[in-house]
Amino acid sequence: MTIKLLSVASEIYPLIKTGGLADVAGALPGALARQGVQVRTLIPGYPAVIARLGKAKAVRRYDDLFGASASVLAAQVDGLDLLVLDAPDFFAREGGPYGDHGGNDWNDNWRRFAALSRAGADIAADGVKGWRPDIVHVHDWQAAMTAAYMRFGPAAHVPKVVTIHNLAFQGRYSAGIFPDLGLPPEAWGVDGVEYYGGTGYLKAGLVSADAITTVSPSYAQEIRSAVHGMGLDGLINGRVDRLHGILNGVDTDIWNPATDGLIAKPYSARALGGRAANRRALERRFGLDHDGAPICIIVSRLTWQKGMDMMIDAAEHLVALGGKLAVLGSGDHPLEGALLGAADRHRGRIGVQIGYDEPLSHLMQAGGDAILIPSRFEPCGLTQLYALRYGCVPVVARVGGLADTVIDANEAAVGAGAATGIVFTPSDPLALHGAINRLVDLYGDKVAWQAMQRAGMRADFSWPHSAAKYADLYRSLIAEAA
Ligand SMILES: Nc1ncnc2c1ncn2[C@@H]1O[C@H](COP(=O)(O)OP(=O)(O)O[C@H]2O[C@H](CO)[C@@H](O)[C@H](O)[C@H]2O)[C@@H](O)[C@H]1O
């Protein structure tokens, strides 16, 4: 039996992306189709989305959705079956999906994402033009309230899955918004949307879901602890029988060094020599010296989560050892400034580009020798998966999905040809320095290094395995609800 699934997300690649959530929301529908799951994805009608719609049909209209007139448009874009919440009052704005160009969150985000979630629950209840979902899968706090609206409304019987991509973002607001959310009074309370005296969107989703998933097995364990649970560990432990860790995958149509049109020269594990042209292109792009020293790359949000504050010292250390560094990212302004300062001090050795540049991220994976990911926590991490596929050796902290996907180059693993990267713990400056020492040493041993590159390129983190796990989960929840 084909399963009809409504996915609700606040971003989706290739239409709108600020991070890994978009990659997952964009790749899962195709992977799930091969598992007999037909996905339609509800997303907000940001300008970038509306611009791509072409011929779209209004399949639902609202005169007053949290004070705005809105409609749901159905369209196919790049093979994605989309339902777009077109609500210009909420989404037709200059800036990013969550805030203005200056990085300030919109102050009506509570209303914008309650509206998205309300629309999701309405589609779950009524369907659109005869299409009714058998199950609803929502992503992160921006969509999590869908599960609460469903639970306290006519779609209560439809199974709901909430996926946590990052517990650090929870959608916490004051208690004062509750009367405007349009939920019944019984939704207020410890088993509902109330969260430490305020309103918690992700929390409301987690208590309302039939299954909670997160994006790696290790992170599923870690969030049960106070250190990584970010205030929700009690709730998560109480629902542990409903908790699943399913690893993200790589969209191998987009991330394939043999066919990638965004890199200087395609290559494969058998013909690694092709990387040299990408390496040179990367050096040119970042103004790095042309020499044989290892090039480390960073493609990341520049934040505390990603351990980027540790990178300022670590960059000095890498340069002192003769290495080079190319950074692409944006985020905390002081960190951006500090990295630019390091690049100024070390011309030819450190290059920094502040901003978001999808094509450049491909060239970096293809030309970099190693990618540095010193995250303090990492629900899954996608850049190490792309790196593995591109023969760019990951140097990662042993947390979350990083721990689940990279095999450390200890003596035994190197001897067995199994090593795929360098894994260090804890996520602190000392251990990061140690990892950089190991990286520079290992890079000097060309045979061991290439063996590591090839082992990483052979590792299979494509979507079929994970999509099968999601499909099994959906089938069991549908059977349970029947
Ligand atoms: N400046 C830039 N220019 C171009 N591309 C850039 C970029 N900065 C980042 N990217 C890209 O954005 C994505 C980031 O994905 P990650 O999984 O690493 O982290 P993120 O923290 O956003 O996602 C959260 O959700 C995902 C999905 O579940 C989890 O893997 C992760 O652990 C969790 O923190 C990658 O595709 C990367 O290439």
Side-chain angles (χ1 to χ4, degrees), residues 277-352:
N278 293 297
R279 209 171 176 277
R280 275 194 303 278
L282 178 63
E283 285 169 342
R284 271 197 301 279
R285 184 72 188 258
F286 280 87
L288 297 175
D289 299 337
H290 297 296
D291 61 20
I295 308 177
C296 295
I297 64 160
I298 288 176
V299 179
S300 182
R301 289 188 284 118
L302 302 177
T303 61
W304 184 88
Q305 172 197 341
K306 302 290 184 183
M308 286 298 127
D309 50 307
M310 294 188 258
M311 269 319 300
I312 315 302
D313 266 2
E316 299 284 345
H317 184 61
L318 176 66
V319 170
L321 294 178
K324 296 182 282 192
L325 177 67
V327 180
L328 168 63
S330 62
D332 299 348
H333 295 311
L335 278 177
E336 292 178 353
L339 284 166
L340 287 168
D344 263 354
R345 284 193 300 280
H346 299 289
R347 299 216 170 186
R349 309 313 291 175
I350 301 181
V352 174

Side-chain angles (χ1 to χ4, degrees), residues 332-482:
D332 299 348
H333 295 311
L335 278 177
E336 292 178 353
L339 284 166
L340 287 168
D344 263 354
R345 284 193 300 280
H346 299 289
R347 299 216 170 186
R349 309 313 291 175
I350 301 181
V352 174
Q353 180 163 322
I354 301 299
Y356 193 90
D357 189 333
E358 190 81 26
L360 180 56
S361 73
H362 284 243
L363 175 65
M364 293 174 75
Q365 297 280 15
D369 296 306
I371 186 167
L372 303 180
I373 315 181
S375 302
R376 290 199 168 80
F377 66 95
E378 196 59 75
C380 177
L382 292 168
T383 53
Q384 86 281 11
L385 301 182
Y386 302 153
L388 285 169
R389 215 168 145 63
Y390 278 62
C392 177
V393 172
V395 178
V396 304
R398 179 171 286 139
V399 289
L402 300 174
D404 290 345
T405 54
V406 181
I407 300 172
D408 181 53
N410 55 48
E411 221 170 291
V414 171
T420 59
I422 293 171
V423 184
F424 64 92
T425 189
S427 305
D428 71 10
L430 196 64
L432 175 56
H433 276 218
I436 290 172
N437 294 342
R438 290 178 65 203
L439 150 77
V440 172
D441 270 358
L442 266 166
Y443 189 74
D445 179 346
K446 287 292 169 251
V447 173
W449 189 264
Q450 286 198 0
M452 246 187 343
Q453 287 179 297
R454 292 209 170 88
M457 293 177 85
R458 277 196 307 268
D460 183 1
F461 291 108
S462 60
W463 269 110
H465 308 287
S466 303
K469 290 191 177 140
Y470 279 114
D472 285 348
L473 175 65
Y474 302 149
R475 290 207 163 85
S476 72
L477 294 174
I478 291 168
E480 183 183 282

Side-chain angles (χ1 to χ4, degrees), residues 144-168:
M145 284 288 280
T146 307
Y149 282 119
M150 288 172 66
R151 172 178 163 211
F152 293 104
H157 61 285
V158 179
K160 331 159 193 44
V161 179
V162 175
T163 292
I164 302 168
H165 293 268
N166 193 337
L167 208 51

